[in-house]
Amino acid sequence: MKKPELTVVIPTYNESKNIETIILRIHDALKHFKINEEILIVDDSSPDGTTAAAQKMATDYPVRVYVRPQRVGPGPAILDGIRLANAAVVCVMDADLSHPPEALPHMYELIAEGKALLVVGSRHVSGGGTSKWIWYRKFFSWGARQLGKFLTPVHDLTAGYFMFDKKILAGAEINPIGCKVGLELMVKGNHQGKVVEYPIVFVERAAGESKMGWRETHQYIQHLLALTFYKIRHPFKNR
Ligand SMILES: Nc1nc2c(ncn2[C@@H]2O[C@H](COP(=O)(O)OP(=O)(O)OP(=O)(O)O)[C@@H](O)[C@H]2O)c(=O)[nH]1
Ligand SMILES: [Mg+2]
């Protein structure tokens, strides 16, 4: 495999219904812009055959599959993916097609042209949005954003779709509580404020089941508290 310019890390658990489509859409979107990618699937031994479905795709597409022995949550899977990425630029996205792969070349361009070190696929800037969210989900999402305003100027701080130059990891202690690795990078990454929000429309998952619940909400609140203490100790970071 030629050295990739971009590694796309996808944590998976029971995503066999989505895996083929997400890989095809990522590859098509990037091929068009002649960007060499590596798609790194980090699967927690899903019982539904996600690993086998991803390995099958690896014969025809630049796919690597890393299998972890048991389910530990998307956060640790994403960190493993980042650690194993071969490219200098890394993107993290979900497998359930909520994050449009067609945004990838545009996000990559912002980094390649030196305009950003971290790009957030954002639902909360002009041109971005969410489809079909019921009112209480909108309310919780709004509440979560209000809690985090002190931490970062980024509007979509719970974004699960983000891309960064690995340089921002140098000397940064990336250790999120839960799955919000993007938020951890916004606050602790060495990006010197070079963060751009690229608008995306978040699409509801069509196949497979959501794995998010109260445990994740609880972890998110703990994570916000930990980052608040971090911010108090490092008030000038990325200013
Ligand atoms: N490796 C790994 N991946 C996971 C785990 N739990 C969830 N994921 C993956 O993490 C990504 C996000 O999970 P989702 O269930 O879509 O969470 P969500 O987007 O907050 O919730 P929905 O909007 O309801 O889909 C998906 O690609 C999941 O397959 C896990 O325990 N291990
Ligand atoms: Mg999802």
Side-chain angles (χ1 to χ4, degrees):
M1 206 191 273
K2 214 169 132 190
K3 183 155 166 69
E5 294 163 292
L6 170 68
T7 298
V8 182
V9 172
I10 309 180
T12 56
Y13 193 76
N14 285 350
E15 299 286 4
S16 63
K17 292 184 182 137
N18 294 315
I19 204 81
E20 191 180 324
T21 313
I22 187 94
I23 290 170
L24 291 175
R25 278 181 58 187
I26 291 171
H27 188 67
D28 276 0
L30 292 166
K31 192 174 71 179
H32 196 71
F33 286 78
K34 296 195 169 59
I35 300 165
N36 252 322
E37 89 279 22
E38 159 186 73
I39 302 171
L40 181 52
I41 306 291
V42 187
D43 187 55
D44 281 6
S45 299
S46 302
D48 77 337
T50 303
T51 305
Q55 277 161 346
K56 195 169 149 228
M57 295 298 284
T59 51
D60 296 319
Y61 296 92
V63 173
R64 276 169 70 200
V65 188
Y66 180 65
V67 186
R68 291 153 31 103
Q70 61 195 26
R71 188 170 185 199
V72 194
I78 291 168
L79 295 180
D80 271 352
I82 293 172
R83 187 174 50 80
L84 295 169
N86 283 318
V89 179
V90 178
C91 183
V92 175
M93 69 193 295
D94 290 355
D96 58 2
L97 309 169
S98 289
H99 301 146
E102 293 67 30
L104 285 168
H106 308 290
M107 292 165 76
Y108 181 79
E109 204 166 59
L110 286 162
I111 295 179
E113 289 177 356
K115 292 181 181 149
L117 286 170
L118 171 63
V119 181
V120 178
S122 178
R123 297 161 288 188
H124 304 298
V125 288
S126 170
T130 49
S131 66
K132 288 197 289 184
W133 270 19
I134 36 177
W135 68 270
Y136 64 81
R137 190 155 179 196
K138 280 192 179 151
F139 177 74
F140 280 118
S141 174
W142 175 84
R145 269 179 283 135
Q146 302 315 304
L147 287 174
K149 267 192 173 161
F150 161 74
L151 299 172
T152 165
V154 174
H155 297 88
D156 194 348
L157 77 169
T158 59
Y161 192 14
F162 51 92
M163 191 186 288
F164 57 95
D165 187 316
K166 278 201 298 204
K167 278 183 211 151
I168 74 168
L169 301 176
E173 203 187 301
I174 304 302
N175 197 11
I177 301 170
C179 61
K180 301 297 175 199
V181 178
L183 174 60
E184 183 86 352
L185 292 178
M186 291 170 208
V187 178
K188 293 186 183 171
N190 286 313
H191 50 66
Q192 300 131 40
K194 278 176 88 172
V195 182
V196 174
E197 288 186 78
Y198 184 84
I200 60 139
V201 175
F202 184 97
V203 182
E204 246 357 271
R205 86 156 48 238
E209 272 173 36
S210 171
K211 289 106 200 163
M212 295 299 148
W214 286 110
R215 183 168 172 264
E216 285 67 28
T217 311
H218 185 234
Q219 282 181 333
Y220 178 62
I221 292 166
Q222 282 182 292
H223 190 195
L224 285 177
L225 282 174
L227 289 176
T228 303
F229 286 122
Y230 176 87
K231 199 76 187 167
I232 291 166
R233 280 184 282 122
H234 305 87
F236 299 110
K237 175 105 190 173
N238 287 324
R239 286 262 161 93

